[in-house]
Amino acid sequence: MFQYKVKTFFCHIKQAVKSFESEVISTAYLRKKELATLNTMLFTLKDQDNYQEIRKMIKDVLPPVQSISKIIDLKEYSRIAYKLDMKKDYQILEQLLTLILQDQFGNFVLKDKLIKHIIQNIKISMLEPKVKQLLEQLKLKESEVQKKYINIYIDLIEQKVNQGKDISESQMNNQNVVDLSNQELKPEKRIQILNQIILSKQVKQNQQILFEHFQYPSIEEIMIILPQIHLIPGKLRSNYTEILNKYLNQLMVSPKEEGKVLTQLNQMILKNSEFFKKSNISFIHILNQIQMQGLLESQINQLLYLITYSNSLEYFKQNEQQFIDYIIKSKAINMSQMVAYFFHLAQIYRQIGDFKQELLKFQCTYFMNNLSKCDSNQLFLIVKSLRICQNIEEVVVLNKQIEQKIQEGALNSNHDALINFVANKIKQSQVLFMPETANMVNVTQKNFGEWCHLIQQIGALKTLEVDLLDKFRRLHINFRERLAQSQLYYYFGAQFICQVHDEGFFLERINQTRPFLLVRILYDIAQFPTNQYEKLKQRIIEKIKDTPDYLTQEFSKLDKGLLSFSILTASLFDDQSFYNYLFDKYKREIEQFTDELISNNKKFQRNKIIGKSSVNFVTNQTLVQFYQALRYHQFLGNEESGYLIKLQDLIKEYSLTQQEMPSYIESVVESILKEEKVEYIRDYCEVLPFRIDFYIPSKQVGIECNGVSHYCLDQLRRVDVLKMRFFEERLNIKISVIRSGCVNIQEVVKSIIK
């Protein structure tokens, strides 16, 4: 009886298809009745004995892809083709682009989800000529609304092509990995097998092979392994690091081979920068053999790159004046080389202290005189480097010139650089066109992380406009899956501001996310308490508690920056149980850490990045974070700490939050107070870190000028709340907060002091 009904149904389907092909009935009828029903049948009839026959019958009655004239029909068709493994992905994509091109009105708002669904479910590894032709035609659409959607679809298609290529390469390599148990491998075969394992990213699946045949590999084999060394088991990783370190410490460089060795080492670090940053492998032995006098300009660049990423700062300190003299006196340096020198030197000086003024003045003057010769990439690298420099006159002037050049459109053709520039520049100035930039740029997978950074910064200054909120909500699903680890924090901030509350996305990635990034996300949750992230907060805390040596595992030794940052984060919660856990768990490390702070006696490495890892040295930021945490805990838990007493003398002369230059709001407030002839105390502080920007004794009031490190204008940061509570409860001083983006500062200040 059942088979009879099925066959009868298919007779009806065949008649419908024939009618459809001769345009006797509409596609709407086919969609509602036939394609949808066929789709359902593939699920509901899969347990039947004659299921394979049913699949074949469905294939027989399907019309050609080219006959589908509505996108919603194409969606149903693509789902059926996928379930039947018909491999019609290229034809479906071609027909989809044809239908989009034929849409005269470009009403993609209603069809957007359908189009994205179809693209996301196709599997392609290349673009066929016809598809390329259709994409070029789509780019010619004149409507701005159409262009906006079309750019999104093109990016999605490019992602699918890249994914397809990766899968194809992986499958080809997997076919060749064989069982090598108890075989003696020749050198050529060893290299071949290693390449297959590493290139196909199959390290975990082939650990037995690695243990049996690659416990003590050659240097050539280690070079192959390095890109995937973070996946190698700990014992093998230690062996490989020891072999590489021994090799580098025995390598002899002949005078004529210096350039060749520098090139090889640069390539090695470039491909494996994360490994060399985390390892203690030193290049001092090699660097000491290289004579700077005989090097070309490009080789000096390679030398600076090597120092930056290879734990070789001591070499730079010993030869600093030689580098300065070379750069200042050389007549052959062009713009490209000078920009590269400046960028690498900025990375080095960020770690060892302020730029040498002689060198900084020379390079800034060079750029001011030749700014018109800079292309967008060079301009961007100069901007990134200037963020690290101290504010001497030449830096200020160069910054203003660059701002003017960018406002005139110097980066308009380089959206990645423009996003990064504006997002980071907000920290120093509020005058740039942030919302306009965020709306104007074409967001791609490559720049999505920095675009999130820009959204995060704009939301700290003002309420986001509706079109910008809509743009983020429309794009974030497409790009979030392939974000780099370093960009997850920016995405967290952006989705927080846009009230997307994508908690599930972060919950799924807890086990794959680096400790530093998880703690940074936890810090923001602590700063802006909300029920929307309660599960994520608890899971991160559980992860830290459940994982042995969580705060030390990434570098196989104590990460002092991560430890101090974690304690600071824990001190902000009303419930201080996590804070107490960290002190119990890492009691010995905290004792050593405190002793190291005291023994350094203010001789710390320069580091202004919150939560920045500091494995091999103590930074000023680790001291600041640790001391702040002790004070917040003392205030919330009403509990004295012996560490506070130990650090008291050290911290007295140390400015925790005072800026080198006052913010725009602080400057306006100060000018109003002077104009009104009101006596005030600047940077008033009874107990660090509870400091306010202005204290007016006659009124028993304080004014705090908020910066840009918070997200929601209707919610103060936790540290500001604690500051207000401290001054009001302990000192009877009422605090008023003037937030970033305030347009009537003068009226607000006058109402406070009246």
Side-chain angles (χ1 to χ4, degrees), residues 178-221:
V178 295
D179 181 12
L180 303 173
S181 301
N182 302 317
Q183 290 185 29
E184 187 67 35
L185 299 179
K186 294 181 179 179
E188 297 82 2
K189 186 66 174 177
R190 289 172 64 88
I191 296 293
Q192 180 188 351
I193 296 302
L194 261 185
N195 272 315
Q196 291 170 3
I197 292 172
I198 299 301
L199 293 175
S200 62
K201 299 181 180 178
Q202 296 289 312
V203 171
K204 290 184 178 179
Q205 296 87 327
N206 292 282
Q207 286 189 14
Q208 185 178 349
I209 294 175
L210 293 172
F211 272 105
E212 287 182 7
H213 298 279
F214 297 97
Q215 285 222 33
Y216 299 99
S218 66
I219 287 298
E220 185 182 3
E221 291 166 353

Short mmCIF file of all heavy atoms in Angstrom, two decimals, residues 178-221:
data_model
loop_
_atom_site.label_atom_id
_atom_site.label_comp_id
_atom_site.label_asym_id
_atom_site.label_seq_id
_atom_site.Cartn_x
_atom_site.Cartn_y
_atom_site.Cartn_z
N VAL A 178 50.78 6.91 5.80
CA VAL A 178 50.65 5.45 5.93
C VAL A 178 51.09 5.00 7.31
O VAL A 178 51.67 5.76 8.08
CB VAL A 178 51.49 4.74 4.85
CG1 VAL A 178 50.97 5.03 3.48
CG2 VAL A 178 52.96 5.16 4.97
N ASP A 179 50.83 3.75 7.64
CA ASP A 179 51.26 3.16 8.90
C ASP A 179 52.75 2.85 8.82
O ASP A 179 53.19 2.06 8.00
CB ASP A 179 50.46 1.87 9.16
CG ASP A 179 50.86 1.24 10.49
OD1 ASP A 179 51.55 1.92 11.27
OD2 ASP A 179 50.47 0.09 10.73
N LEU A 180 53.52 3.51 9.70
CA LEU A 180 54.97 3.39 9.62
C LEU A 180 55.55 2.60 10.78
O LEU A 180 56.74 2.70 11.08
CB LEU A 180 55.60 4.79 9.62
CG LEU A 180 55.12 5.72 8.50
CD1 LEU A 180 55.68 7.10 8.69
CD2 LEU A 180 55.53 5.17 7.15
N SER A 181 54.73 1.83 11.48
CA SER A 181 55.19 1.12 12.66
C SER A 181 56.37 0.22 12.33
O SER A 181 56.34 -0.55 11.36
CB SER A 181 54.04 0.27 13.24
OG SER A 181 52.96 1.10 13.57
N ASN A 182 57.41 0.35 13.16
CA ASN A 182 58.59 -0.52 13.11
C ASN A 182 59.34 -0.46 11.77
O ASN A 182 60.04 -1.38 11.41
CB ASN A 182 58.20 -1.98 13.40
CG ASN A 182 57.54 -2.12 14.75
OD1 ASN A 182 58.00 -1.53 15.73
ND2 ASN A 182 56.47 -2.90 14.81
N GLN A 183 59.14 0.60 11.01
CA GLN A 183 59.89 0.74 9.76
C GLN A 183 61.07 1.68 9.98
O GLN A 183 60.99 2.64 10.73
CB GLN A 183 59.00 1.33 8.66
CG GLN A 183 57.92 0.39 8.17
CD GLN A 183 57.16 1.00 7.00
OE1 GLN A 183 57.72 1.79 6.26
NE2 GLN A 183 55.91 0.62 6.85
N GLU A 184 62.15 1.40 9.32
CA GLU A 184 63.32 2.29 9.34
C GLU A 184 63.18 3.24 8.16
O GLU A 184 63.13 2.80 7.01
CB GLU A 184 64.60 1.48 9.23
CG GLU A 184 65.86 2.31 9.41
CD GLU A 184 66.01 2.83 10.82
OE1 GLU A 184 65.61 2.12 11.76
OE2 GLU A 184 66.51 3.97 10.97
N LEU A 185 63.10 4.52 8.42
CA LEU A 185 62.84 5.48 7.35
C LEU A 185 64.13 6.12 6.85
O LEU A 185 64.98 6.54 7.64
CB LEU A 185 61.90 6.59 7.85
CG LEU A 185 60.51 6.15 8.32
CD1 LEU A 185 59.73 7.35 8.80
CD2 LEU A 185 59.77 5.44 7.20
N LYS A 186 64.25 6.24 5.55
CA LYS A 186 65.37 6.96 4.95
C LYS A 186 65.10 8.47 5.06
O LYS A 186 63.95 8.89 5.20
CB LYS A 186 65.50 6.56 3.48
CG LYS A 186 65.91 5.11 3.29
CD LYS A 186 66.06 4.77 1.82
CE LYS A 186 66.50 3.31 1.64
NZ LYS A 186 66.62 2.95 0.21
N PRO A 187 66.16 9.29 5.00
CA PRO A 187 65.98 10.74 5.16
C PRO A 187 64.91 11.33 4.23
O PRO A 187 64.11 12.16 4.65
CB PRO A 187 67.37 11.30 4.84
CG PRO A 187 68.30 10.19 5.21
CD PRO A 187 67.58 8.92 4.87
N GLU A 188 64.90 10.91 2.95
CA GLU A 188 63.92 11.46 2.01
C GLU A 188 62.50 11.12 2.44
O GLU A 188 61.59 11.95 2.36
CB GLU A 188 64.18 10.91 0.60
CG GLU A 188 65.52 11.31 -0.01
CD GLU A 188 66.66 10.41 0.48
OE1 GLU A 188 66.39 9.45 1.25
OE2 GLU A 188 67.82 10.68 0.10
N LYS A 189 62.31 9.87 2.91
CA LYS A 189 60.99 9.43 3.34
C LYS A 189 60.56 10.16 4.60
O LYS A 189 59.39 10.52 4.77
CB LYS A 189 61.02 7.91 3.59
CG LYS A 189 59.65 7.31 3.91
CD LYS A 189 58.72 7.39 2.72
CE LYS A 189 57.41 6.67 3.00
NZ LYS A 189 56.45 6.80 1.88
N ARG A 190 61.51 10.40 5.52
CA ARG A 190 61.20 11.13 6.76
C ARG A 190 60.66 12.53 6.43
O ARG A 190 59.65 12.97 6.98
CB ARG A 190 62.45 11.24 7.63
CG ARG A 190 62.89 9.94 8.29
CD ARG A 190 64.24 10.11 8.96
NE ARG A 190 64.17 11.06 10.07
CZ ARG A 190 63.85 10.75 11.32
NH1 ARG A 190 63.55 9.50 11.63
NH2 ARG A 190 63.82 11.67 12.26
N ILE A 191 61.36 13.21 5.52
CA ILE A 191 60.93 14.56 5.13
C ILE A 191 59.54 14.51 4.50
O ILE A 191 58.67 15.35 4.79
CB ILE A 191 61.95 15.19 4.13
CG1 ILE A 191 63.30 15.38 4.79
CG2 ILE A 191 61.41 16.50 3.57
CD1 ILE A 191 63.33 16.40 5.89
N GLN A 192 59.31 13.53 3.64
CA GLN A 192 58.02 13.40 2.96
C GLN A 192 56.89 13.19 3.97
O GLN A 192 55.84 13.84 3.89
CB GLN A 192 58.07 12.22 1.98
CG GLN A 192 56.76 12.02 1.22
CD GLN A 192 56.78 10.73 0.40
OE1 GLN A 192 57.79 10.07 0.26
NE2 GLN A 192 55.62 10.36 -0.13
N ILE A 193 57.11 12.27 4.93
CA ILE A 193 56.08 11.97 5.93
C ILE A 193 55.81 13.18 6.81
O ILE A 193 54.65 13.52 7.09
CB ILE A 193 56.51 10.76 6.80
CG1 ILE A 193 56.61 9.49 5.95
CG2 ILE A 193 55.53 10.55 7.95
CD1 ILE A 193 55.33 9.11 5.24
N LEU A 194 56.88 13.86 7.24
CA LEU A 194 56.70 15.04 8.08
C LEU A 194 55.89 16.11 7.36
O LEU A 194 54.99 16.73 7.93
CB LEU A 194 58.06 15.62 8.47
CG LEU A 194 58.61 15.28 9.86
CD1 LEU A 194 59.89 16.03 10.11
CD2 LEU A 194 57.59 15.58 10.95
N ASN A 195 56.22 16.35 6.10
CA ASN A 195 55.48 17.34 5.31
C ASN A 195 54.01 16.99 5.23
O ASN A 195 53.13 17.86 5.34
CB ASN A 195 56.08 17.45 3.91
CG ASN A 195 57.21 18.46 3.83
OD1 ASN A 195 57.11 19.55 4.37
ND2 ASN A 195 58.31 18.08 3.20
N GLN A 196 53.71 15.71 5.03
CA GLN A 196 52.31 15.28 4.96
C GLN A 196 51.58 15.54 6.27
O GLN A 196 50.45 16.04 6.28
CB GLN A 196 52.24 13.79 4.60
CG GLN A 196 52.68 13.47 3.19
CD GLN A 196 52.82 11.99 2.94
OE1 GLN A 196 52.54 11.18 3.82
NE2 GLN A 196 53.28 11.63 1.75
N ILE A 197 52.22 15.23 7.38
CA ILE A 197 51.58 15.40 8.70
C ILE A 197 51.38 16.88 9.01
O ILE A 197 50.29 17.29 9.44
CB ILE A 197 52.44 14.74 9.80
CG1 ILE A 197 52.43 13.22 9.64
CG2 ILE A 197 51.92 15.12 11.19
CD1 ILE A 197 53.38 12.49 10.56
N ILE A 198 52.41 17.69 8.79
CA ILE A 198 52.34 19.10 9.17
C ILE A 198 51.42 19.89 8.24
O ILE A 198 50.57 20.66 8.69
CB ILE A 198 53.75 19.73 9.19
CG1 ILE A 198 54.65 19.02 10.21
CG2 ILE A 198 53.68 21.22 9.50
CD1 ILE A 198 54.14 19.04 11.64
N LEU A 199 51.57 19.69 6.92
CA LEU A 199 50.76 20.45 5.97
C LEU A 199 49.28 20.10 6.06
O LEU A 199 48.42 20.95 5.84
CB LEU A 199 51.26 20.23 4.54
CG LEU A 199 52.66 20.81 4.23
CD1 LEU A 199 53.09 20.43 2.82
CD2 LEU A 199 52.66 22.32 4.40
N SER A 200 48.99 18.86 6.40
CA SER A 200 47.58 18.47 6.53
C SER A 200 47.04 18.70 7.93
O SER A 200 45.89 18.41 8.22
CB SER A 200 47.42 16.98 6.18
OG SER A 200 48.17 16.18 7.08
N LYS A 201 47.90 19.26 8.81
CA LYS A 201 47.51 19.58 10.19
C LYS A 201 46.94 18.35 10.91
O LYS A 201 45.89 18.41 11.55
CB LYS A 201 46.50 20.74 10.20
CG LYS A 201 47.06 22.02 9.60
CD LYS A 201 46.07 23.15 9.63
CE LYS A 201 46.70 24.41 9.00
NZ LYS A 201 45.76 25.55 8.96
N GLN A 202 47.67 17.24 10.77
CA GLN A 202 47.23 15.98 11.36
C GLN A 202 48.19 15.55 12.49
O GLN A 202 48.47 14.36 12.66
CB GLN A 202 47.19 14.90 10.28
CG GLN A 202 46.18 15.16 9.18
CD GLN A 202 44.75 14.98 9.67
OE1 GLN A 202 44.44 13.98 10.31
NE2 GLN A 202 43.90 15.94 9.38
N VAL A 203 48.70 16.52 13.25
CA VAL A 203 49.68 16.21 14.30
C VAL A 203 49.10 15.30 15.36
O VAL A 203 49.69 14.28 15.74
CB VAL A 203 50.21 17.51 14.94
CG1 VAL A 203 51.07 17.20 16.16
CG2 VAL A 203 51.03 18.30 13.91
N LYS A 204 47.93 15.64 15.86
CA LYS A 204 47.33 14.85 16.94
C LYS A 204 47.03 13.42 16.50
O LYS A 204 47.17 12.48 17.28
CB LYS A 204 46.05 15.53 17.44
CG LYS A 204 46.32 16.83 18.18
CD LYS A 204 45.04 17.43 18.74
CE LYS A 204 45.34 18.70 19.52
NZ LYS A 204 44.10 19.32 20.06
N GLN A 205 46.62 13.25 15.24
CA GLN A 205 46.27 11.92 14.74
C GLN A 205 47.51 11.06 14.51
O GLN A 205 47.41 9.84 14.37
CB GLN A 205 45.47 12.02 13.43
CG GLN A 205 44.10 12.70 13.59
CD GLN A 205 44.17 14.20 13.46
OE1 GLN A 205 45.16 14.81 13.83
NE2 GLN A 205 43.11 14.80 12.92
N ASN A 206 48.69 11.68 14.44
CA ASN A 206 49.91 10.93 14.11
C ASN A 206 50.98 11.04 15.20
O ASN A 206 52.18 10.99 14.93
CB ASN A 206 50.48 11.45 12.78
CG ASN A 206 49.59 11.12 11.60
OD1 ASN A 206 49.58 10.00 11.11
ND2 ASN A 206 48.83 12.11 11.15
N GLN A 207 50.54 11.16 16.44
CA GLN A 207 51.50 11.29 17.54
C GLN A 207 52.37 10.05 17.69
O GLN A 207 53.55 10.14 18.04
CB GLN A 207 50.76 11.58 18.85
CG GLN A 207 50.23 13.00 18.93
CD GLN A 207 49.70 13.36 20.30
OE1 GLN A 207 49.94 12.64 21.27
NE2 GLN A 207 48.97 14.46 20.39
N GLN A 208 51.80 8.87 17.43
CA GLN A 208 52.57 7.63 17.55
C GLN A 208 53.76 7.64 16.58
O GLN A 208 54.87 7.25 16.92
CB GLN A 208 51.68 6.41 17.29
CG GLN A 208 52.40 5.08 17.52
CD GLN A 208 51.49 3.89 17.31
OE1 GLN A 208 50.28 4.04 17.19
NE2 GLN A 208 52.07 2.71 17.27
N ILE A 209 53.51 8.10 15.34
CA ILE A 209 54.59 8.18 14.34
C ILE A 209 55.67 9.14 14.82
O ILE A 209 56.87 8.86 14.71
CB ILE A 209 54.02 8.64 12.99
CG1 ILE A 209 53.09 7.57 12.42
CG2 ILE A 209 55.14 8.96 12.00
CD1 ILE A 209 52.39 7.98 11.15
N LEU A 210 55.25 10.27 15.39
CA LEU A 210 56.22 11.26 15.86
C LEU A 210 57.08 10.68 16.98
O LEU A 210 58.30 10.90 17.03
CB LEU A 210 55.50 12.53 16.32
CG LEU A 210 54.79 13.33 15.23
CD1 LEU A 210 53.96 14.45 15.83
CD2 LEU A 210 55.79 13.91 14.24
N PHE A 211 56.46 9.96 17.92
CA PHE A 211 57.21 9.39 19.03
C PHE A 211 58.16 8.28 18.56
O PHE A 211 59.27 8.14 19.08
CB PHE A 211 56.26 8.84 20.10
CG PHE A 211 55.84 9.86 21.12
CD1 PHE A 211 54.57 10.41 21.09
CD2 PHE A 211 56.73 10.28 22.10
CE1 PHE A 211 54.19 11.36 22.03
CE2 PHE A 211 56.36 11.24 23.03
CZ PHE A 211 55.08 11.78 23.00
N GLU A 212 57.73 7.51 17.57
CA GLU A 212 58.55 6.38 17.11
C GLU A 212 59.72 6.82 16.22
O GLU A 212 60.81 6.25 16.28
CB GLU A 212 57.68 5.38 16.34
CG GLU A 212 56.76 4.56 17.24
CD GLU A 212 55.95 3.55 16.44
OE1 GLU A 212 56.21 3.42 15.23
OE2 GLU A 212 55.05 2.92 17.03
N HIS A 213 59.49 7.85 15.39
CA HIS A 213 60.47 8.17 14.37
C HIS A 213 61.08 9.57 14.49
O HIS A 213 62.09 9.85 13.84
CB HIS A 213 59.85 8.04 12.97
CG HIS A 213 59.38 6.65 12.65
ND1 HIS A 213 60.24 5.66 12.23
CD2 HIS A 213 58.15 6.08 12.74
CE1 HIS A 213 59.55 4.54 12.04
NE2 HIS A 213 58.28 4.77 12.34
N PHE A 214 60.47 10.45 15.30
CA PHE A 214 60.93 11.84 15.29
C PHE A 214 61.17 12.39 16.70
O PHE A 214 60.88 13.55 16.98
CB PHE A 214 59.90 12.71 14.55
CG PHE A 214 59.73 12.35 13.11
CD1 PHE A 214 58.68 11.53 12.70
CD2 PHE A 214 60.62 12.81 12.16
CE1 PHE A 214 58.52 11.18 11.37
CE2 PHE A 214 60.46 12.46 10.81
CZ PHE A 214 59.42 11.64 10.42
N GLN A 215 61.70 11.55 17.59
CA GLN A 215 62.02 12.04 18.94
C GLN A 215 63.20 13.01 18.88
O GLN A 215 63.24 13.99 19.62
CB GLN A 215 62.36 10.87 19.87
CG GLN A 215 61.13 10.10 20.32
CD GLN A 215 61.18 9.74 21.79
OE1 GLN A 215 61.73 10.47 22.61
NE2 GLN A 215 60.62 8.60 22.12
N TYR A 216 64.18 12.72 18.01
CA TYR A 216 65.36 13.58 17.90
C TYR A 216 65.60 13.90 16.42
O TYR A 216 66.50 13.36 15.78
CB TYR A 216 66.57 12.89 18.52
CG TYR A 216 66.37 12.61 19.99
CD1 TYR A 216 65.97 11.34 20.42
CD2 TYR A 216 66.55 13.62 20.93
CE1 TYR A 216 65.76 11.09 21.77
CE2 TYR A 216 66.35 13.37 22.29
CZ TYR A 216 65.95 12.11 22.69
OH TYR A 216 65.73 11.88 24.03
N PRO A 217 64.78 14.79 15.86
CA PRO A 217 64.87 15.08 14.42
C PRO A 217 66.08 15.95 14.08
O PRO A 217 66.71 16.55 14.96
CB PRO A 217 63.57 15.85 14.15
CG PRO A 217 63.24 16.49 15.47
CD PRO A 217 63.71 15.55 16.52
N SER A 218 66.35 16.03 12.81
CA SER A 218 67.41 16.91 12.32
C SER A 218 66.89 18.36 12.30
O SER A 218 65.69 18.60 12.45
CB SER A 218 67.82 16.51 10.90
OG SER A 218 66.74 16.74 10.00
N ILE A 219 67.80 19.31 12.12
CA ILE A 219 67.40 20.72 12.04
C ILE A 219 66.45 20.95 10.87
O ILE A 219 65.46 21.69 10.98
CB ILE A 219 68.64 21.63 11.91
CG1 ILE A 219 69.39 21.70 13.24
CG2 ILE A 219 68.27 23.04 11.46
CD1 ILE A 219 68.59 22.31 14.37
N GLU A 220 66.73 20.32 9.75
CA GLU A 220 65.85 20.44 8.58
C GLU A 220 64.44 19.98 8.92
O GLU A 220 63.45 20.60 8.53
CB GLU A 220 66.41 19.62 7.41
CG GLU A 220 65.62 19.79 6.12
CD GLU A 220 66.16 18.94 4.99
OE1 GLU A 220 67.12 18.15 5.23
OE2 GLU A 220 65.63 19.04 3.88
N GLU A 221 64.34 18.88 9.67
CA GLU A 221 63.02 18.35 10.07
C GLU A 221 62.34 19.27 11.08
O GLU A 221 61.12 19.46 11.03
CB GLU A 221 63.19 16.93 10.63
CG GLU A 221 63.59 15.92 9.56
CD GLU A 221 64.09 14.60 10.13
OE1 GLU A 221 64.26 14.50 11.37
OE2 GLU A 221 64.31 13.67 9.33
#
